[in-house]
Amino acid sequence: HVGLSYSIMPSKIIASIMLASFAILFYFSSYINRDYMVQFQGLSFTLILLGMIILVYNPAMKRDLIPLLSIFLLVPPLPSVIDYLTPRLSSMLGRVAAYITGSEFVAQPGFSMIRVLTPTGPQMLEIETACTSIVTLGSVLVIIPVVLYLLAYSPRSNLRKILALASSTIIALAVGLLGNLVRILLIIYGVQAYGVETGLQLFHYSPSVIYASIAVLAAFYISDKIGGIR
């Protein structure tokens, strides 16, 4: 049973104060090392939130700590990870999108572009503006705490649990990639019909929460079938 405990416990108060101290340290560090400003501030917010939760959270078993630790997913990925994944994803998905739409894919050092026919003539569309690794990473990261928590209560064997986790992760990755591809296709078709500025405004901000929701539902279904979480 996982519940809330409002009794005053010195150990929880001390832990909360320590987390708050680290949160303050990371917050001020974000202004010293501005390259990781967003990550430090995200970690600071997460530690503050964690410190507040542990004051009242009362886990009955070790596996009940999974949802508590999952709040660290609020910390944004490192820029180096995004910078490494984005060009590779944009190149791969850009080629597929160019083939589907009949556009010309143009590879450049460090980034990719697609030559799109617009009402005013050919225009070069930079793929990185439409395809980033954040959507794909988000689709994968959002399912990890859900699947881990559910599999922790599964009576199936460890092998079945590992297969369920691996299958769910692959499904979430596929959903994220497909979501990025759909985003690129919508932008290309929008640019072809209405021009670059209007096309980007109409379709660039397709909500990533849709892909994340689909990833969670698909991961839950696969985990249920393989890992027997219910």
Side-chain angles (χ1 to χ4, degrees):
H1 174 69
V2 181
L4 300 178
S5 175
Y6 297 98
S7 59
I8 299 177
M9 298 179 62
S11 59
K12 288 188 174 183
I13 295 176
I14 293 174
S16 182
I17 293 175
M18 290 181 61
L19 289 172
S21 301
F22 281 114
I24 295 173
L25 176 63
F26 280 115
Y27 180 79
F28 284 107
S29 296
S30 67
Y31 291 96
I32 298 176
N33 190 343
R34 293 184 177 273
D35 292 337
Y36 300 99
M37 186 175 187
V38 176
Q39 285 71 29
F40 279 146
Q41 291 185 357
L43 183 57
S44 175
F45 171 78
T46 300
L47 292 177
I48 288 290
L49 181 60
L50 182 61
M52 295 173 62
I53 292 176
I54 65 173
L55 287 176
V56 296
Y57 186 63
N58 187 31
M61 294 174 287
K62 290 182 179 179
R63 59 190 179 188
D64 295 331
L65 294 174
I66 294 176
L68 185 65
L69 297 177
S70 64
I71 64 173
F72 281 99
L73 295 176
L74 294 172
V75 181
L78 293 174
S80 57
V81 176
I82 302 298
D83 293 341
Y84 176 82
L85 292 177
T86 296
R88 288 159 177 80
L89 281 176
S90 62
S91 176
M92 178 183 67
L93 297 179
R95 293 177 187 275
V96 176
Y99 176 79
I100 293 175
T101 60
S103 304
E104 180 185 355
F105 178 81
V106 180
Q108 299 288 343
F111 63 95
S112 306
M113 306 187 77
I114 292 180
R115 189 187 304 274
V116 181
L117 293 178
T118 71
T120 58
Q123 296 285 344
M124 299 298 293
L125 176 64
E126 188 175 347
I127 301 302
E128 277 76 4
T129 61
C131 172
T132 68
S133 56
I134 296 177
V135 173
T136 305
L137 284 176
S139 298
V140 175
L141 293 178
V142 75
I143 64 101
I144 291 178
V146 177
V147 174
L148 286 179
Y149 182 74
L150 295 174
L151 290 178
Y153 290 90
S154 172
R156 300 293 180 86
S157 65
N158 289 334
L159 178 59
R160 293 290 293 270
K161 293 179 181 181
I162 293 174
L163 289 176
L165 179 60
S167 302
S168 301
T169 303
I170 292 173
I171 291 295
L173 179 61
V175 170
L177 291 174
L178 181 60
N180 257 328
L181 178 60
V182 170
R183 184 197 297 263
I184 297 174
L185 291 175
L186 289 176
I187 291 176
I188 291 176
Y189 287 130
V191 169
Q192 287 177 340
Y194 305 108
V196 175
E197 184 175 353
T198 304
L200 288 175
Q201 289 177 350
L202 286 175
F203 300 110
H204 178 50
Y205 298 104
S206 55
S208 301
V209 68
I210 296 177
Y211 315 134
S213 300
I214 295 175
V216 169
L217 293 174
F220 183 88
Y221 178 80
I222 295 297
S223 298
D224 185 22
K225 291 298 181 181
I226 300 177
I229 59 177
R230 293 189 297 178

